[in-house]
Amino acid sequence: MQTILDELERHRGQARLGGGQKRIDAQHAKGKLTARERIEVLLDEGSFEELDMYVEHNCVDFGMPDQVVPGDGVVTGSGTINGRLVFVFSQDFTVFGGSLSERHASKICKIMDMAMKVGAPVIGLNDSGGARIQEGVASLAGYAEVFQRNVLASGVVPQLSLIMGPCAGGAVYSPAMTDFIFMVKDSSYMFVTGPDVVKTVTNEVVTQEELGGAVTHTTKSGVADVAFENDIDALLAARDFIDFLPLSNREHVPERPTSDPWDRVDESLDTLIPANANQPYDMHELIRKTVDEGDFFELQPAHAGNIIIGFGRVEGRTVGIVANQPMVLAGVLDINSAKKAGRFVRFCDAFDIPIVTFVDVPGFLPGVAQEHNGIIKHGAKLLFAYAEATVPKITVITRKAYGGAYDVMASKHLRGDLNYAWPTAEIAVMGAKGAVEIIFRGKTLEEIAERTAEYEARFANPFVAASKGFIDEVIMPHSTRRRIALGLRKLRNKQLENPWKKHDNIPL
């Protein structure tokens, strides 16, 4: 018996060594952890249970039968994060550069299938050179099998991708279909075609980092959500982040004990809005003073900064927060902000996470570039997302809510459950000066000024909308947290269903 146990331990030791000590050292030299070290940081200590440790590739070409490594370049299994079940795959760059083979893909598919059956998040740690060329179309088939599961799992269990090394070619489409992507600065990159191919085809000279690095994708493209300094930071952030999410679409949002009183009053909010309507203020301050302990996990902070998205908690329960940011482009809606917020709203709706919206929006961004690049269709994504969402929706208008942008930002007309306004709110078709110049075109400057003051007195307040029932209550800024907490309580058992359909046709 002891001989058999020793043999088992030998097999395990061989699998744990991956591509060998030399390659492990090379991974460390790049400032990167190994696949197994990453799992140790991500999961609760001692909770990881590995599956398919002994799986080997089945390639018979190009001398591959002589190069067999147990596990075949990916570590898969399950464990817990703060006691809650998750499924994980971690690609091992020390084995064939983490390249994906048919068997490698089948290991990933197996844990994704299990995650969907039991209802638990899937976390992918990506560090791969791409398809295993020696296997040809079999490796491409493997990618497509993973893609299919990404689609089936979408809206069923949360999917989080951590890009911790190369992720190129067809490999990028799996993370792209997951819900959130974290990247590591200077050691991870994503692109469909690399710098060499780009130079050959378009004659553009670009580095890997410029083309698809963490900074590029979290600022310019918006493909990734957050860029971290190193593997450890990314993995610890993932632990915090998963704590905000329900395990599946069948589960309620997680609840965590909090000592922050639900009815906490913050008098400083009464002076948050500047006297000058054109002066910006930081919407982060309102968010932090509303959520429990000021704990707010922001997503895509460096992309489309004119809108803020992320998760917080109220009375210990997760809420999704969407807020216009007056500090960037005066908080206008544009193509990037509409896409950013629209997808976030749809995620919250899929997993029954209540949505709190803070509104200070002067309208949509005008301009030839915006129109030619499809602001109409892209702006409609956010509108569509809010309109189809059946989760509890609470909206607080702090200052400007002008034109179509007022409608889009979770207005009463898009089935907002509780729509509040601060006394400083201005709900109108447009700003007073622009409106008066249209209505009284051709009048003298003195008449325009007089009419502008008249328009402001009549419309630059929340009471016209409140008189029509479009605003449920004009609230004191300092009581915002209390109002939201009470609102979320009463909406906890909300039931609302959209008409039956196979699926909708969101404007893509």
Side-chain angles (χ1 to χ4, degrees):
M1 182 67 178
Q2 188 58 47
T3 307
I4 295 171
L5 295 178
D6 291 344
E7 182 67 10
L8 171 62
E9 204 51 51
R10 187 183 67 79
H11 277 290
R12 283 181 173 172
Q14 190 180 353
R16 288 192 191 107
L17 200 57
Q21 193 59 49
K22 187 177 177 183
R23 287 185 176 144
I24 290 173
D25 292 342
Q27 184 85 340
H28 288 160
K30 295 177 196 166
K32 296 160 65 176
L33 300 179
T34 65
R36 292 178 185 281
E37 288 167 343
R38 287 167 176 162
I39 289 174
E40 284 175 19
V41 175
L42 177 68
L43 301 180
D44 296 339
E45 188 175 354
S47 71
F48 181 56
E49 289 193 296
E50 187 169 352
L51 297 177
D52 289 336
M53 181 185 269
Y54 313 111
V55 164
E56 298 173 352
H57 71 71
N58 57 351
C59 183
V60 296
D61 298 311
F62 304 106
M64 288 300 286
D66 302 325
Q67 303 177 61
V68 175
V69 179
D72 203 32
V74 65
V75 182
T76 58
S78 63
T80 60
I81 292 179
N82 294 321
R84 301 167 74 230
L85 177 66
V86 296
F87 286 83
V88 182
F89 69 84
S90 180
Q91 293 181 314
D92 188 349
F93 195 78
T94 70
V95 179
F96 307 121
S99 59
L100 184 134
S101 68
E102 184 179 15
R103 291 277 171 84
H104 178 128
S106 70
K107 287 180 65 173
I108 295 172
C109 291
K110 183 188 283 190
I111 64 140
M112 293 184 76
D113 289 340
M114 288 186 70
M116 280 188 277
K117 275 191 282 190
V118 304
V122 177
I123 303 175
L125 311 181
N126 295 265
D127 188 0
S128 168
R132 196 168 300 170
I133 299 168
Q134 294 92 329
E135 293 199 13
V137 73
S139 66
L140 298 181
Y143 271 128
E145 292 285 349
V146 175
F147 300 159
Q148 181 65 67
R149 283 159 178 81
N150 287 132
V151 173
L152 294 177
S154 182
V156 178
V157 295
Q159 300 178 78
L160 172 63
S161 297
L162 277 70
I163 314 300
M164 313 194 83
C167 184
V172 298
Y173 290 111
S174 175
M177 288 186 288
T178 62
D179 300 304
F180 305 101
I181 299 176
F182 293 172
M183 294 185 75
V184 179
K185 293 177 185 176
D186 302 321
S187 65
S188 70
Y189 52 83
M190 299 174 74
F191 39 66
V192 175
T193 51
D196 294 342
V197 176
V198 169
K199 185 174 190 307
T200 302
V201 175
T202 69
N203 210 31
E204 295 170 288
V205 178
V206 66
T207 65
Q208 286 184 340
E209 194 63 32
E210 291 167 339
L211 184 62
V215 173
T216 296
H217 283 313
T218 53
T219 56
K220 294 177 183 171
S221 71
V223 165
D225 291 279
V226 193
F228 295 94
E229 294 298 329
N230 52 54
D231 284 10
I232 300 280
D233 285 353
L235 293 161
L236 293 179
R239 283 181 61 87
D240 289 341
F241 184 66
I242 286 292
D243 259 4
F244 284 99
L245 309 182
L247 294 177
S248 74
N249 63 357
R250 306 194 296 267
E251 299 279 341
H252 294 299
V253 294
E255 200 165 348
R256 141 185 304 196
T258 178
S259 57
D260 197 350
W262 67 272
D263 56 353
R264 169 172 51 77
V265 167
D266 201 312
E267 303 285 354
S268 67
L269 291 179
D270 289 345
T271 55
L272 179 65
I273 305 296
N276 181 348
N278 295 319
Q279 188 177 334
Y281 60 93
D282 191 352
M283 189 66 87
H284 285 106
E285 184 177 343
L286 171 56
I287 295 169
R288 285 194 302 271
K289 289 177 177 176
T290 300
V291 298
D292 294 349
E293 284 103 24
D295 183 19
F296 177 57
F297 196 111
E298 186 174 358
L299 294 161
Q300 298 194 30
H303 175 69
N306 41 323
I307 207 158
I308 299 167
I309 60 170
F311 295 109
R313 295 182 184 88
V314 176
E315 290 198 276
R317 299 166 68 92
T318 302
V319 293
I321 292 171
V322 179
N324 305 115
Q325 170 59 299
M327 299 284 285
V328 181
L329 294 174
V332 296
L333 290 175
D334 61 359
I335 289 170
N336 287 339
S337 63
K339 290 194 294 184
K340 169 181 167 177
R343 188 153 193 266
F344 180 74
V345 167
R346 297 194 94 207
F347 175 86
C348 291
D349 188 49
F351 290 98
D352 221 21
I353 299 171
I355 301 166
V356 175
T357 308
F358 294 115
V359 182
D360 186 350
V361 62
F364 283 90
L365 182 64
V368 174
Q370 287 288 305
E371 295 293 352
H372 287 186
N373 287 309
I375 182 64
I376 296 171
K377 197 149 232 182
H378 293 299
K381 290 176 182 174
L382 181 55
L383 166 59
F384 197 108
Y386 268 125
E388 73 169 345
T390 59
V391 293
K393 293 184 282 193
I394 298 178
T395 304
V396 179
I397 300 173
T398 61
R399 187 166 63 176
K400 296 172 184 172
Y402 290 166
Y406 152 72
D407 283 330
V408 169
M409 293 299 295
S411 63
K412 179 62 73 179
H413 328 289
L414 300 185
R415 302 187 299 187
D417 294 298
L418 290 168
N419 292 69
Y420 296 128
W422 284 6
T424 47
E426 304 170 21
I427 305 167
V429 175
M430 62 189 347
K433 187 170 182 293
V436 167
E437 285 173 352
I438 291 170
I439 298 169
F440 300 101
R441 187 177 283 120
K443 299 288 185 181
T444 65
L445 289 175
E446 290 76 14
E447 287 175 308
I448 291 287
E450 186 182 329
R451 295 294 188 180
T452 299
E454 184 184 323
Y455 188 97
E456 283 175 344
R458 176 78 178 88
F459 294 110
N461 62 65
F463 299 106
V464 175
S467 72
K468 298 177 186 296
F470 303 158
I471 294 297
D472 294 307
E473 174 67 299
V474 180
I475 64 171
M476 295 299 287
H478 65 248
S479 67
T480 301
R481 173 176 165 85
R482 175 177 163 275
R483 293 283 191 161
I484 288 173
L486 282 173
L488 291 170
R489 275 190 210 173
K490 70 180 74 168
L491 291 167
R492 204 164 284 176
N493 295 318
K494 174 186 175 182
Q495 289 188 320
L496 175 65
E497 289 188 4
N498 291 326
W500 184 91
K501 60 185 87 171
K502 185 176 179 183
H503 59 74
D504 53 48
N505 187 23
I506 187 168
L508 292 173

